[in-house]
């Protein structure tokens, strides 16, 4: 936004009311506010506009004169005026926030926050409002509409249905989105405030989701397609996740063939790293960190009531690339035929303790060929399935043909 | 997101038959940095800083008094790998001490090329770890190594490493193809 645009807008508005005004006068007033007093341009525009309106005894000219913008095109760092429908309201998490939720028009939706200090009128669910001079900033990587004391809110008398369009999961980016998905994995919540967490997917891919406990919030059912409207896509550590607390989700007919984002790798297990085998985990809810041998958690200090777990941190190597891989308890038990209970009893009764479990697992797995599928996080493959490779005579025949194909 | 530097990439363990491995003569480094890895260049045209072999341990020997180390011979369908494990490879040394030949073993290690004063070359594997495996794993390794070797021969002359190999070795891809064929043929018996 620059001064000359503001001059244009002000003079336009005044001329539309049948009055005439000197553009240079507008410009010099604006410049004075902006350059001498350090007022930002939209605030200066508002001040000059209301001054002039008073001087010319004009009514019905609102203080700010920003153009109406489409919600789908807002980017952080702008002062904007939008008209939209409140499609979601979220309970406030802090005293300094009066109201927050999602406002949408035909082009898109954005999260909004009304600061308590703004003393703005309370907006109602499913009603249309014109919001003038709000600020778009960025919150957790997503655009966010901030309603402050300089913002004006006017209820609009219209009721146009807003129909959000669905975004394929692989095209999601931080912000508000609607998706048509099915639940793929239901994980055990690690936090008592969490109602449900897991993986959702459509044909294009999968994404992690979370529903926090809240009155009236329901869990998603397995094997059901949902139309989820106005969920928040957050970015954390470069990964996206979907928060459904702002969303409305409705079961729908039909089925979805969820696209796989899993990676499959076959190779030899060439390294089993320290920290594999029997480990102790922090019992504090939501922590689950690995404890040192002295039962020390990096966050919760000494935890004598740890729980045991089995895992393998290894390297699966196909001769071209060495890939870090993590096998969880169920896979370790399956591949080594050593159960967690056996491992605990070995650790407690053997002079080598937990090392003995490590050696047994190493002897069972190291140097053998496996095929594993799983998802890749942080340069590591978290295996969901893993099986030992077996000799395939057809492969031998193919290779013999390749080697002897010409002149052999 | 600028938080992540270039992640450390572990060197892949190459698959190579003993007959090709013992032909290694040329070693190089990418930079003068002390920590930059040393690569042995395989004649079929790929750099090798680590290898994975599966074969039959036919013999092992304890050597040295002060600095104990173990030597072993691991046989594949094409020839013999000489493996070593000393006090700098404690894991491999202790494992090797326990294994009684003959046994199918999987060895992960680094190539080591030594030129004797009279100009002959000793190419061996400095083992990082050794474990006892079964016959099926050995057979899978022969398939795997055959496939990897054929892939390299098919790409020979097109990759940077294979052009380097052309300069340093008198490569006859057909001879290597023949070796691969013979190695595979032994599996059928």
């Amino acid at each position: 936004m620059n001064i000359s645009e503001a001059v244009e807008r002000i003079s336009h508005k005044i001329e539309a009311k049948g009055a005439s005004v000197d553009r240079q006068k507008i410009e010099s007033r604006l410049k004075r506010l902006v350059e001498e007093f350090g007022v930002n341009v939209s605030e200066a525009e508002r001040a000059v506009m209301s001054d002039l309106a008073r001087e010319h005894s004009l009514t019905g000219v609102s203080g700010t004169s920003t153009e109406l913008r489409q919600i789908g095109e807002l980017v952080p760092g702008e002062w904007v005026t939008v008209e939209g429908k409140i499609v979601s309201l979220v309970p406030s998490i802090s005293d300094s926030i009066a109201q927050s939720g999602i406002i949408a028009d035909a082009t898109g939706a954005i999260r909004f926050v009304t600061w308590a200090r703004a003393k703005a009128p309370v907006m109602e669910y499913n009603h249309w409002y014109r919001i003038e001079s709000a600020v778009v900033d960025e919150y957790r990587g997503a655009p966010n509409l901030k309603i402050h004391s300089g913002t004006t809110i006017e209820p609009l008398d219209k009721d146009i249905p807003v129909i959000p369009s669905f975004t394929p999961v692989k095209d999601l980016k931080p912000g508000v989105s609607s998706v048509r998905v099915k639940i793929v994995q239901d994980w055990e919540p690690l936090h008592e405030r969490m109602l449900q967490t897991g993986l959702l997917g459509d044909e294009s891919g999968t994404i992690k989701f979370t529903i926090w406990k809240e009155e009236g919030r329901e869990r998603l059912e397995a094997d059901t397609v949902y139309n989820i409207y106005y969920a928040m896509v957050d970015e954390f550590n470069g990964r996206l996740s979907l928060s459904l607390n702002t969303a409305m989700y409705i079961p729908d007919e039909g089925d979805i063939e969820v696209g796989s984002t899993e990676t499959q790798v076959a190779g030899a297990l060439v390294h089993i790293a320290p920290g594999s085998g029997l480990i102790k985990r922090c019992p504090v809810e939501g922590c689950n960190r690995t404890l040192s041998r002295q039962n020390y958690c990096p966050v919760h200090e000494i935890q004598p009531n740890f729980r045991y777990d089995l895992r393998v941190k290894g390297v699966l190597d196909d001769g071209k690339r060495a890939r870090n891989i993590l096998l969880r308890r169920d896979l370790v038990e399956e591949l080594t035929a050593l159960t967690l209970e056996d491992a605990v009893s070995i650790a407690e009764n053997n002079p080598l303790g937990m090392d003995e479990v490590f050696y047994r697992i190493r002897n069972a797995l190291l140097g053998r060929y496996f095929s594993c599928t799983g998802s890749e996080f942080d340069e590591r493959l978290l295996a969901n399935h893993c099986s030992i490779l077996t000799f395939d005579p057809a492969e031998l025949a193919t290779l013999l043909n390749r080697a002897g194909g010409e002149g052999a | 997101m600028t938080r992540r530097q270039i992640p450390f990439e572990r060197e892949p363990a190459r698959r190579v038959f003993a007959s090709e491995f013992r032909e290694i003569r040329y070693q190089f480094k990418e930079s003068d940095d002390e920590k930059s890895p040393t690569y042995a260049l395989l004649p079929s045209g790929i750099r090798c800083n680590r290898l994975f072999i599966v074969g039959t341990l036919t013999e092992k020997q304890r050597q040295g008094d002060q600095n104990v180390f173990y030597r072993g011979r691991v046989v594949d369908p094409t020839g013999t790998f000489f493996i070593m494990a000393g006090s700098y490879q404690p894991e491999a040394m202790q494992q090797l001490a326990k294994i009684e030949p003959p046994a199918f073993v999987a060895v992960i290690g680094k190539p080591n090329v030594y030129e004797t004063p009279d100009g002959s070359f000793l190419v061996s594997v400095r083992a990082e770890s050794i474990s006892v495996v079964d016959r099926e794993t050995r057979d899978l390794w022969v398939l795997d190594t055959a496939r990897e070797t054929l892939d390299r021969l098919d790409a020979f002359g097109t990759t940077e490493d294979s052009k380097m190999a052309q300069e340093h070795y008198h490569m006859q891809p057909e001879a290597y193809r023949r070796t691969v064929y013979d190695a595979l043929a032994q599996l059928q018996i």
Side-chain angles (χ1 to χ4, degrees):
Chain A
M1 193 182 292
N2 61 41
I3 290 183
S4 59
E5 281 174 16
V7 172
E8 275 308 304
R9 272 195 296 271
I10 294 172
S11 53
H12 207 80
K13 283 207 166 182
I14 291 181
E15 279 157 14
K17 291 280 172 187
S20 67
V21 66
D22 181 1
R23 290 184 186 221
Q24 276 187 348
K25 199 167 119 192
I26 301 174
E27 186 171 346
S28 68
R29 285 196 194 187
L30 279 171
K31 274 199 170 151
R32 185 154 179 269
L33 283 171
V34 172
E35 285 165 14
E36 282 182 42
F37 293 92
V39 176
N40 67 49
V41 178
S42 36
E43 190 56 31
E45 182 178 340
R46 203 183 66 88
V48 172
M49 185 68 225
S50 52
D51 270 2
L52 289 169
R54 220 173 299 120
E55 279 170 32
H56 292 84
S57 313
L58 300 175
T59 52
V61 186
S62 69
T64 0
S65 47
T66 353
E67 272 170 63
L68 188 63
R69 297 284 306 273
Q70 300 196 312
I71 290 178
E73 289 164 6
L74 303 180
V75 288
E78 291 181 312
W79 285 62
V80 296
T81 293
V82 295
E83 285 183 4
K85 183 176 174 178
I86 305 299
V87 294
S88 173
L89 286 172
V90 185
S92 172
I93 46 162
S94 152
D95 285 345
S96 56
I97 293 173
Q99 205 176 19
S100 86
I102 290 170
I103 183 164
D105 67 10
T107 64
I110 190 168
R111 198 183 114 104
F112 73 86
V113 168
T114 309
W115 297 104
R117 281 206 324 241
K119 306 237 183 313
V122 172
M123 294 189 280
E124 280 177 61
Y125 180 65
N126 252 339
H127 283 65
W128 281 79
Y129 293 91
R130 178 180 172 91
I131 299 177
E132 289 186 8
S133 288
V135 176
V136 185
D137 67 357
E138 202 177 282
Y139 178 70
R140 289 191 192 154
N144 182 49
L145 194 68
K146 237 168 36 182
I147 295 167
H148 51 93
S149 51
T151 308
T152 52
I153 298 178
E154 275 175 66
L156 296 175
D157 186 23
K158 62 176 168 183
D159 186 20
I160 309 164
V162 175
I163 300 152
S165 56
F166 293 121
T167 309
V169 168
K170 75 165 169 36
D171 296 337
L172 288 174
K173 50 184 196 296
V176 178
S177 285
S178 301
V179 290
R180 187 180 143 83
V181 288
K182 190 164 92 172
I183 191 164
V184 185
Q185 282 175 24
D186 206 342
W187 299 337
E188 200 175 314
L190 287 175
H191 197 287
E192 59 176 14
R193 281 188 49 229
M194 215 180 251
L195 178 66
Q196 192 180 21
T197 182
L199 219 53
L200 287 174
D202 65 7
E203 290 84 350
S204 71
T206 55
I207 187 170
K208 182 191 159 184
F209 78 96
T210 308
I211 307 175
W212 297 94
K213 280 186 186 162
E214 187 186 291
E215 224 181 297
R217 281 282 146 198
E218 283 174 20
R219 295 169 55 89
L220 298 178
E221 302 284 333
D223 299 320
T224 310
V225 174
Y226 284 93
N227 293 335
I228 298 178
Y229 300 106
Y230 308 118
M232 283 299 305
V233 185
D234 293 319
E235 186 179 329
F236 182 69
N237 272 357
R239 288 199 289 276
L240 297 179
S241 70
L242 207 58
S243 165
L244 301 195
N245 282 71
T246 57
M248 181 167 68
Y249 32 95
I250 306 166
D252 195 10
E253 302 275 297
D255 197 11
I256 295 176
E257 191 71 27
V258 175
S260 171
T261 49
E262 292 210 318
T263 318
Q264 181 173 19
V265 205
L269 196 62
V270 297
H271 182 59
I272 294 183
S276 299
L278 190 64
I279 54 164
K280 299 168 179 175
R281 290 196 184 274
C282 180
V284 174
E285 180 160 331
C287 175
N288 219 27
R289 283 182 179 80
T290 311
L291 303 181
S292 76
R293 295 208 149 198
Q294 286 74 35
N295 304 336
Y296 184 85
C297 168
V299 177
H300 304 101
E301 312 211 318
I302 300 294
Q303 293 289 337
N305 298 317
F306 55 82
R307 54 184 194 79
Y308 279 118
D309 197 5
L310 274 176
R311 71 166 178 198
V312 166
K313 291 162 76 179
V315 177
L316 196 69
D317 186 315
D318 65 2
K320 295 183 172 80
R321 189 178 157 198
R323 212 185 286 254
N324 290 320
I325 183 165
L326 185 75
L327 307 178
R328 281 175 287 113
R329 174 187 161 187
D330 52 338
L331 290 175
V332 177
E333 289 182 329
E334 186 186 317
L335 296 173
T336 60
L338 181 75
T339 63
L340 180 62
E341 291 70 36
D342 295 344
V344 171
S345 103
I346 291 168
E348 285 170 355
N349 298 314
N350 195 287
L352 286 176
M354 288 161 80
D355 287 346
E356 178 66 21
V357 178
F358 177 88
Y359 293 136
R360 289 199 190 189
I361 289 175
R362 184 191 66 189
N363 292 344
L365 303 179
L366 189 68
R368 285 168 168 84
Y369 282 92
F370 297 95
S371 170
C372 300
T373 52
S375 38
E376 264 186 308
F377 278 139
D378 273 346
E379 312 289 319
R380 168 166 287 149
L381 187 82
L382 304 178
N384 292 323
H385 300 285
C386 226
S387 55
I388 191 150
L389 288 185
T390 50
F391 185 79
D392 177 10
E395 170 86 19
L396 174 61
T398 312
L399 287 167
L400 276 169
N401 280 336
R402 261 185 84 185
E406 289 164 75
Chain B
M1 294 268 141
T2 51
R3 78 214 142 77
R4 204 180 293 159
Q5 319 148 307
I6 302 161
F8 164 77
E9 279 253 351
R10 182 182 158 109
E11 291 287 337
R14 304 296 181 190
R15 316 294 203 251
V16 55
F17 285 121
S19 60
E20 180 183 353
F21 185 71
R22 67 159 183 252
E23 298 295 322
I24 294 175
R25 295 291 177 270
Y26 180 67
Q27 284 183 296
F28 66 99
K29 277 182 145 215
E30 286 278 79
S31 80
D32 293 334
D33 183 20
E34 203 186 332
K35 288 191 179 139
S36 94
T38 303
Y39 295 101
L41 186 64
L42 296 182
S44 57
I46 198 135
R47 63 190 61 200
C48 168
N49 169 264
R50 179 175 276 129
L51 67 157
F52 174 63
I53 57 182
V54 182
T56 313
L57 180 74
T58 57
E59 206 184 306
K60 71 163 181 184
Q61 256 181 318
R62 188 189 136 113
Q63 292 195 323
D65 299 317
Q66 300 253 290
N67 294 310
V68 177
F69 70 101
Y70 281 83
R71 274 181 203 283
R73 294 168 69 96
V74 175
V75 175
D76 80 357
T78 70
T80 304
F81 291 99
F82 297 96
I83 63 169
M84 301 183 307
S87 50
Y88 288 106
Q89 298 84 36
E91 187 190 330
M93 191 171 85
Q94 287 162 26
Q95 286 163 310
L96 189 52
K98 260 189 280 181
I99 303 171
E100 279 309 316
F104 286 115
V105 291
V107 181
I108 295 109
K110 303 262 186 187
N112 190 41
V113 182
Y114 176 72
E115 189 176 0
T116 59
D118 62 10
S120 61
F121 283 85
L122 297 175
V123 186
S124 61
V125 181
R126 209 170 332 104
E128 293 176 315
S129 67
I130 306 172
S131 58
V132 175
V133 295
D134 52 13
R135 187 185 185 103
E136 183 155 30
T137 304
R138 200 285 306 260
D139 292 351
L140 285 167
W141 179 83
V142 173
L143 293 185
D144 189 19
T145 306
R147 188 187 327 106
E148 290 288 311
T149 307
L150 290 172
D151 286 352
R152 295 198 289 268
L153 295 176
D154 289 349
F156 198 78
T158 62
T159 62
E160 198 189 313
D161 285 1
S162 63
K163 283 176 188 157
M164 207 192 314
Q166 277 176 323
E167 278 172 41
H168 293 278
Y169 300 103
H170 301 287
M171 243 303 273
Q172 291 169 303
E174 283 321 306
Y176 281 92
R177 221 173 264 280
R178 182 81 227 174
T179 313
V180 171
Y181 186 88
D182 291 345
L184 289 167
Q186 287 190 38
L187 289 184
Q188 281 181 312
I189 305 162

